[in-house]
Amino acid sequence: MRKFFSSHQLAHAPATELHNGGFAAHAETPARAEMVLRAIGGAEAPEDRGDAAIRAVHTADYLAFLQEAPARWAAAARPGDAMGYVWPVVGRRSVKIERIDGLIGRYSFDASTPLTAETWGSAYWSAQSVLAATHAVLDGERAAFALCRPPGHHAGADYLGGYCYLNTAAIAAQAAIDAGWARVAILDVDYHHGNGTQDIFWDRGDVLYASIHADPATDYPFYWGHVDEVGEGAGLGTTLNLPLPQGSGLEPFRRAQGAALEAITRFAPDLLIVSLGVDTWEGDPISHFQLTTADYAVLAADIAGCGWPTVVAMEGGYAVDALGANVASFLGGF
């Protein structure tokens, strides 16, 4: 399996985040990618394919915000990384806002996803990594892996959150469709629901989004990922949410994944994208499932057995010392 990663993705390194009511060291660190690289034996550097595929998913005003926000934060003489503290609750009116504090609220949904001067570059190259993996599969590879860091599945078309700035799974899916592949399925196996991916394809009939995640009644992102969210319009029935209770291990997870694979089989995709989060591991510091390192090989083999051309895009996983082994287990099982 070909693997892709750019060293530019290491530059993004926020200092702190607001977590459970207090400031804590930021959990999404460059060390995550370094540990994975060590375990999988390195990766190819992606080529720069430009921003057309990114702009096919994200709005122009949001992309401009990502690039400009750190400088505007510094110009406002604010210390540390750019981070929001006020958000619109009822609806986001299209109004002109000048102050950086308001802009951050307009384009984000939490205070755990700061912007640094290096964020845009790292997110851009994370997108290039997933595009490289996608084009490798479009060109005939059975499967390819993108070590996406920062991750992507919480980012919507015009908002950031959950450590995510550009939605790499969505960028890959749209790139495949734009290349002429008619139907794409996204299987999200991160502990947290991929609200951004769901939002982007909510009313689309050409992309199926299936997610196995912690019950949002108890876990982040809370407001998305419930079983009654099934899409609407042309996308009615192409969103499948399979929430599980805290403490779930291999048996319930594999059963839920089997249901997702059955739905994907009925959808008959030309391409599968796996949003791979290994924060489902039993020792993850911010999650509460009970998968073991060996379990990832079992789950991956079940996916591989379906036979679809597959792009695997890295999402979460915050037990840094175990992260590489868990990813290597999944890729090996695949």
Side-chain angles (χ1 to χ4, degrees):
M1 181 187 294
R2 293 179 68 186
K3 311 170 187 73
F4 296 92
F5 177 79
S6 168
S7 60
H8 295 293
Q9 297 172 235
L10 298 172
H12 167 73
T16 59
E17 63 175 286
L18 187 62
H19 180 71
N20 290 345
F23 284 97
H26 201 258
E28 205 286 285
T29 66
R32 296 178 61 249
E34 292 169 335
M35 292 298 286
V36 172
L37 284 172
R38 189 178 308 165
I40 67 174
E44 301 175 52
E47 65 178 277
D48 188 348
R49 296 177 180 270
D51 65 358
I54 298 171
R55 292 184 178 278
V57 169
H58 294 283
T59 64
D61 57 325
Y62 172 64
L63 295 176
F65 162 77
L66 286 180
Q67 295 171 72
E68 298 167 2
R72 296 185 68 161
W73 184 261
R78 300 298 169 76
D81 302 327
M83 183 184 298
Y85 67 88
V86 57
W87 292 271
V89 173
V90 177
R92 296 181 298 168
R93 296 175 56 209
S94 182
V95 296
K96 186 174 179 58
I97 300 171
E98 295 293 341
R99 186 166 159 177
I100 185 61
D101 309 74
L103 284 173
I104 292 177
R106 164 65 181 85
Y107 292 111
S108 66
F109 72 91
D110 69 17
S112 64
T113 314
L115 288 153
T116 74
E118 294 76 28
T119 297
W120 168 253
S122 291
Y124 177 88
W125 282 99
S126 185
Q128 298 306 319
S129 289
V130 85
L131 286 170
T134 302
H135 281 277
V137 174
L138 296 181
D139 290 341
E141 292 288 329
R142 167 70 178 81
F145 173 62
L147 177 46
C148 295
R149 191 269 158 185
H153 72 155
H154 292 303
D158 65 348
Y159 64 79
L160 59 85
Y163 310 146
C164 303
Y165 305 88
L166 297 177
N167 193 306
T168 46
I171 289 167
Q174 189 61 52
I177 288 169
D178 289 343
W181 292 41
R183 297 163 73 83
V184 177
I186 300 172
L187 174 63
D188 193 327
V189 293
D190 189 276
Y191 180 81
H192 305 96
H193 178 258
N195 55 288
T197 311
Q198 175 174 292
D199 280 355
I200 288 167
F201 298 114
W202 181 249
D203 57 0
R204 295 265 298 268
D206 54 351
V207 177
L208 173 71
Y209 177 67
S211 178
I212 306 155
H213 52 270
D215 191 337
T218 60
D219 282 86
Y220 182 98
F222 305 112
Y223 307 108
W224 298 265
H226 299 267
V227 294
D228 60 348
E229 297 164 23
V230 294
E232 61 184 16
L236 184 64
T238 58
T239 293
L240 174 63
N241 286 306
L242 298 163
L244 296 174
Q246 292 184 0
S248 294
L250 177 61
E251 183 178 348
F253 197 100
R254 193 179 188 190
R255 187 164 55 246
Q257 182 175 277
L261 293 176
E262 289 177 3
I264 294 170
T265 298
R266 291 191 296 271
F267 183 73
D270 300 307
L271 174 71
L272 175 68
I273 298 166
V274 178
S275 280
L276 173 62
V278 293
D279 45 1
T280 50
W281 184 63
E282 59 188 348
D284 193 272
I286 64 173
S287 305
H288 308 284
F289 281 172
Q290 296 297 317
L291 296 184
T292 68
T293 299
D295 292 341
Y296 292 110
V298 175
L299 295 168
D302 288 346
I303 298 169
C306 295
W308 301 301
T310 303
V311 173
V312 180
M314 189 71 210
E315 299 287 358
Y318 306 99
V320 176
D321 290 345
L323 187 60
N326 290 336
V327 173
S329 176
F330 184 91
L331 298 182
F334 195 96

